[in-house]
Every structure is written in C-alpha cells, then in structure tokens.
Amino acid sequence: MIEDDTGKLIAAAGGTERDIGDALRAVGPERAVQLLADELIHRADLEDLPHAEAVVRFACHLGERTVNHLVHVSKGSARHLADAGESERATAPDVTVRYDTPELVRAVFGPTSARTSATRRVEWHTTDPIGPHSEVPRTAPLVQRLLRGTVPGPDDLAELSLRFGSDKWGLHFYTPLFERHFASLRDRPLTLLELGIGGFDDPEAGGGSLRLWRRYFHRAMICGVDIAEKTVAAGGRIRSFCGSQTDPVFLDSVLERVGPPDVVIDDASHRCADVIASFRHLFPALRPGGLYVVEDLQTSYWPRYGGSSEELSSPATSMGFLKTLADAVNHEELNGPAPDAVDEFGPHVVSVHFYHNLAVIEKGTNKEGTLPSWHPARAG
Ligand SMILES: C[S@@+](CC[C@H](N)C(=O)[O-])C[C@H]1O[C@@H](n2cnc3c(N)ncnc32)[C@H](O)[C@@H]1O
C-alpha cells in the first residue's frame, strides 16, 4: 500500500479507534476531511444528476474540535470552497452533514462490516421543497448522492466498465471472471497495478479501467502504466506512470513508488515477448496471495504479435509460456530436467486459471512436497 496520506487513512480505517486517531494526527484533520470529501465526490457520479446545486458543509467532530469543510456541488462538478479561499461566512451552506471524524474515516475507507453512520446528522438550512406537495428539500438528491459513498454499493463490474469507458465488458467479457477472482479482495487495503491505461497516443484518452478499479476496490491504490504520456486518470487514489512494460529499470522505479502490488493486470501491448517480459519482472514482486492477470490472449495465436497458430506450446508465445506455468504448479512431481520457467516460478505459482483470452495466475508458496519415496505409487 502506498504510504501517502490516503494510504494512511485506508490502513487505519480497518483498525482500532486509536489507529484512526493516530492517522488523523499524522495526516492532519483538515486534510483528512478534504480527502474523505474528495472520495465521496468521486463516488457520487454527479454527472448523472438532474441540474441542481448546493453548498454542503461537512462538520466533522474530533473530541472538542470541529473541522468545517465546505464543498460546492453541482451537476457534473464539485469544488472545495476552503481551497478557493472562500470562508464559511462568505458562503452560507444549504446543508450541514455532521459526523464524528473517526466514523467518517471508517464509513469511507473501512471494510464493509465497519462502515456505519451512527453519528451522522443531516441539517437542512434551505428547505425549498423538491415539488409542490413535498417537504423534501430540493438539494436532497444531491446530498444523498454525496453520502452514497459511505454505504457499500451494489456494484456490477460490467455496468462500471461501461460507465467508465473500459472495454472489459462489451468488446471482451472479462468482468464476470474478474468478479470471480476479485470479490474476496474488495474489502482489503491493496495495490492494483494495470499495464495499459488506454487511449494509446492521445494523452487525454483512456483511464477507463483505472476508474473502474478505483470504484470497485474502495480501499485500494490504483496504479497504471502506459508507454504514452497520460493526462487523464491521476489524482485521488489513482497514480499513473509513463514507460514501457518491457523496461526493467522503469518497472523497478514504479515498484519503488507503489510497493509490492497485490494485483497486476497486463492489458498493454499484448505482444507475446512483452507479456512474457512483464510477467518475468513483475510476478516476483507480487505479494504472496496476489493475482497476476493477462488479458487478450488471442494475440498468442497471431504472428503480428509474435504468436503462432501452429506451435501452440512454443515458450515464445504468451499461451505457450503460461502453459509451462501450469506444469510449474506440479514442479515437485517432475522426474527429469524441466523448462527454466518451471524451476523459476514453480515454487511460487499456486494455480493457473485459463479462460477465453484471459489467464489468472495466483502467487503463493507451492512447496507441499511429493509423495514419500516408500509410497507404492512411486515404486519403479
Ligand atoms: C487496450 S489499451 C488499455 C485499456 C485499458 N486497460 C482499459 O481497460 O480501459 C492498451 C494501452 O497499452 C499501451 N501500451 C502499448 N504498448 C505498451 C508498452 N510496451 N508498455 C506500456 N503500455 C503500452 C497503449 O498506449 C494503450 O494505451
């Protein structure tokens, strides 16, 4: 996990009251409340709302202190008024949302079971109703959206993929496979590294999958690598790095910045040699229990990408290499000399899952040992 201010809050949100208190002191309560408000703004999908605007005051209590943070929210955008140097006196809030600060940290970045809102109070200051026969304030839908990020959402990965502009559902149909392997990781503070941000040479295009992962993994740092410079997809819990998936010096510098990843997804050049080079470099850096995913394995059969439809087990193709990893799972059972990849990766590859155009490799300790030498099955 990246040890920046957001990382500190995420790590503490799964711990005790004292852990959260320590993190709030380290980050500073004002900055912490701003980061929490930022995350709620991201989760609100404000662009989907009907036209409306409101000034929301977060009044976050911490012992005797109250941190007041004002946000101007409207369809499609939000602005921290404190940042703009606009004082509370100059901007009357339409609504105050009160929270005990430690609970807000847990409600935003905590594991699902810890996300409560027992200390929350919503106080409307402008009560202009939503319609002629209603007593619900006009700003209520906006405020509800802003607070939506404190409760676990019923997120469907396919829907998120389409919303954020990834091709992981629609062109491909990977999202049910990701759900199968990622569901148990959702509540953990983790680091996800995706090779290939998207948009190719256009600096302003791409970033769909980084935004998708940011929403799906509410406690994760999301890091992207692309050979093209990207101005999209940075900020909040997203970090992006420019360089090639085949450059070991660059990859080491990324690892130094983000720490050992829990999940790596290769969705970059899809050239066989690049896929293999990245795996060789990044799999050893993956945390035990981590997952390495390779997308778009159709290119393993296409010569333009260094693939072959004839030599299906060639170790120079992505699928040939990954099939060797299937043998690596049983590295302790081989009687004769094994391909390099079997010896190199066998002790660390726990499982290999193949799907249509996608593979998931699970890292762990694979040293159970074979049957004892006296076992009848080994005789002869
Ligand atoms: C298919 S797009 C990624 C899509 C994105 N992951 C998504 O789901 O929204 C592939 C990206 O990989 C990048 N790319 C190509 N070769 C690369 C390399 N050698 N190293 C890093 N990125 C590369 C391209 O610039 C392109 O933006």
Side-chain angles (χ1 to χ4, degrees), residues 166-168 194 196-200 209 226-227 243-245 267-269:
S166 172
D167 63 10
K168 295 190 192 310
E194 178 152 1
I197 293 175
F200 298 87
S209 57
D226 206 288
I227 200 160
S244 174
Q245 71 173 135
D267 185 21
S269 80

Side-chain angles (χ1 to χ4, degrees), residues 42-277:
H42 155 73
R43 294 180 190 173
D45 296 321
L46 294 171
E47 55 287 346
D48 300 344
L49 273 172
H51 283 282
E53 59 177 328
V55 174
V56 180
R57 171 172 54 191
F58 285 95
C60 296
H61 306 290
L62 191 59
E64 300 295 298
R65 266 190 80 182
T66 300
V67 174
N68 285 304
H69 187 85
L70 281 108
V71 186
H72 178 269
V73 191
S74 57
K75 179 182 167 66
S77 73
R79 190 162 60 94
H80 297 279
L81 296 182
D83 275 352
E86 293 164 70
S87 76
E88 192 178 335
R89 270 190 302 280
T91 321
D94 297 292
V95 57
T96 295
V97 176
R98 296 188 184 279
Y99 256 108
D100 281 359
T101 315
E103 186 179 47
L104 185 58
V105 172
R106 266 199 220 96
V108 175
F109 286 134
T112 302
S113 59
R115 296 173 78 182
T116 56
S117 289
T119 62
R120 182 166 84 197
R121 262 196 353 258
V122 178
E123 297 164 2
W124 306 107
H125 306 303
T126 47
T127 50
D128 181 20
I130 209 163
H133 306 293
S134 171
E135 290 171 19
V136 174
R138 190 172 296 280
T139 50
L142 251 177
V143 175
Q144 183 276 331
R145 264 310 176 86
L146 203 53
L147 299 181
R148 174 172 89 170
T150 59
V151 286
D155 298 327
D156 168 15
L157 255 188
E159 197 266 321
L160 292 181
S161 180
L162 291 170
R163 187 190 311 167
F164 292 119
S166 172
D167 63 10
K168 295 190 192 310
W169 194 90
L171 179 62
H172 309 290
F173 293 91
Y174 299 146
T175 52
L177 308 175
F178 283 125
E179 302 230 34
R180 181 181 296 185
H181 289 277
F182 289 173
S184 64
L185 302 177
R186 280 190 82 177
D187 250 359
R188 300 205 202 148
L190 50 81
T191 300
L192 180 148
L193 174 62
E194 178 152 1
L195 308 177
I197 293 175
F200 298 87
D201 290 338
D202 182 347
E204 286 171 24
S209 57
L210 299 186
R211 290 189 287 268
L212 152 77
W213 298 130
R214 179 187 181 187
R215 180 63 59 86
Y216 185 72
F217 291 113
H218 71 280
R219 307 186 69 203
M221 288 298 178
I222 307 299
C223 309
V225 157
D226 206 288
I227 200 160
E229 197 73 60
K230 293 284 156 196
T231 54
V232 286
R237 291 183 285 118
I238 296 181
R239 305 276 181 284
S240 72
F241 302 91
C242 180
S244 174
Q245 71 173 135
T246 61
D247 178 347
V249 176
F250 164 69
L251 291 179
D252 281 342
S253 73
V254 173
L255 291 172
E256 208 166 291
R257 297 276 295 281
V258 309
D262 300 274
V263 176
V264 174
I265 300 170
D266 183 350
D267 185 21
S269 80
H270 304 302
R271 295 189 54 78
C272 292
D274 298 1
V275 169
I276 296 167

